[in-house]
Amino acid sequence: MKLAFLFPGQGSQKISMLHSLPDHSAVGEVLQEASDVIGENIYNLDTAEALTSTVSVQLSLLIASVAVSKAFEAEGVRPDFVAGHSVGAFGAAVTCGAMDFADALKIVKLRGVLMEQAFPSGYGMGVISGLDAKSVCDMVEAIFSEENPVYSSNINAADQITISGSIPGINKVLDQASQGGARTAELLNVSVPSHCPLLNSVGDSLYDKLAHINIRSPVVLYASNRKARLIRNSEQIREDLAFNVSHPVRWYEISSLLCEYGTRLLIEMPSGNVLTNLNKKTLPGARSVSVDENGFENCFFLAKRFCS
């Protein structure tokens, strides 16, 4: 039976997420390296004030997820597959051996800066549950305007779709979705319009920077955000890391694909349990747990028992 490590994206952050990581030597090493590379105390990144910044959020998620994945590795637990949601793809790339952690820190910091500069205010993301992708897409197309653009973005589950764009445009879609029978329709804690054409220029800039970064063939298979395929090709990973910011994350297809390839245990790295909750609803044949919810030691013993 196969094991997958999952790496969450923006929206999963929480205050003090770096302060509450497991007490493990590998975690300490990652935190120290992050401080050295970034040039500041990383414990300044996860305060309530700091987490209003996309840069701090994305760096915190990368650092937390890589730190715990390194702790698993130090204890002899290695995944068969890695999958990251949005910025989580960078943690996945580090864990599968495709990218050095120091390089990931630099690119993720740049990613956050470029995203904030492109849309400093008035834009974000929303989520709709209880409607299928076509229904949401039809609403988005009917409401879209050049003045208040809005797009369908991530497909997290068969009936959970995110939308991205201007806040007024998003709110119009959310209102219509609520009237149309959606279980929930609400704004997300994300201050930029990720995973839509509004960020095409950000993807292009990231690709230019990643062209000078050493991306290797991974030692385990990496799940592509954009194509929902398991890949080993280093250039395909480079493209996925650059352009997932401006393309939908096909998470529902990704998680289903992992199960098709024999994954029966999925462990979500910190922070949060968003991906775990999605998988519990859509993957009844597999067990999904999160380190934040279940604890590092419990997840470790489960992985050793499950995959032995």
Side-chain angles (χ1 to χ4, degrees), residues 237-258:
I237 293 176
R238 190 190 315 274
E239 292 174 356
D240 192 63
L241 293 173
F243 298 124
N244 77 19
V245 72
S246 55
H247 289 75
V249 176
R250 297 161 61 180
W251 187 258
Y252 178 58
E253 294 175 74
I254 291 169
S255 53
S256 298
L257 182 70
L258 291 174

Side-chain angles (χ1 to χ4, degrees), residues 124-248:
M125 298 183 70
V127 62
I128 297 168
S129 299
L131 299 177
D132 61 31
K134 184 181 185 306
S135 298
V136 174
C137 185
D138 289 345
M139 291 178 188
V140 166
E141 290 180 356
I143 289 170
F144 177 93
S145 70
E146 294 297 330
E147 182 180 2
N148 288 304
V150 61
Y151 299 86
S152 297
S153 50
N154 302 335
I155 305 173
N156 290 329
D159 66 345
Q160 187 187 104
I161 315 299
T162 64
I163 57 177
S164 301
S166 70
I167 297 300
I170 290 173
N171 281 331
K172 288 181 181 179
V173 176
L174 296 179
D175 288 344
Q176 187 166 329
S178 295
Q179 296 171 17
R183 287 195 309 274
T184 58
E186 57 192 11
L187 285 170
L188 287 171
N189 185 23
V190 178
S191 59
V192 289
S194 300
H195 308 296
C196 75
L198 293 172
L199 293 187
N200 280 343
S201 63
V202 174
D204 291 340
S205 296
L206 289 174
Y207 186 76
D208 289 342
K209 292 295 183 181
L210 281 163
H212 303 287
I213 297 294
N214 181 27
I215 306 294
R216 302 174 291 271
S217 296
V219 294
V220 300
L221 288 167
Y222 166 100
S224 166
N225 272 223
R226 294 187 305 138
K227 297 183 178 180
R229 294 290 181 268
L230 297 172
I231 55 178
R232 279 192 195 276
N233 181 280
S234 59
E235 181 56 29
Q236 290 178 346
I237 293 176
R238 190 190 315 274
E239 292 174 356
D240 192 63
L241 293 173
F243 298 124
N244 77 19
V245 72
S246 55
H247 289 75

Side-chain angles (χ1 to χ4, degrees), residues 261-278:
Y261 274 81
T263 303
R264 293 297 176 265
L265 178 62
L266 304 98
I267 301 179
E268 183 176 2
M269 302 297 109
S271 173
N273 58 0
V274 171
L275 303 180
T276 299
N277 288 338
L278 283 172

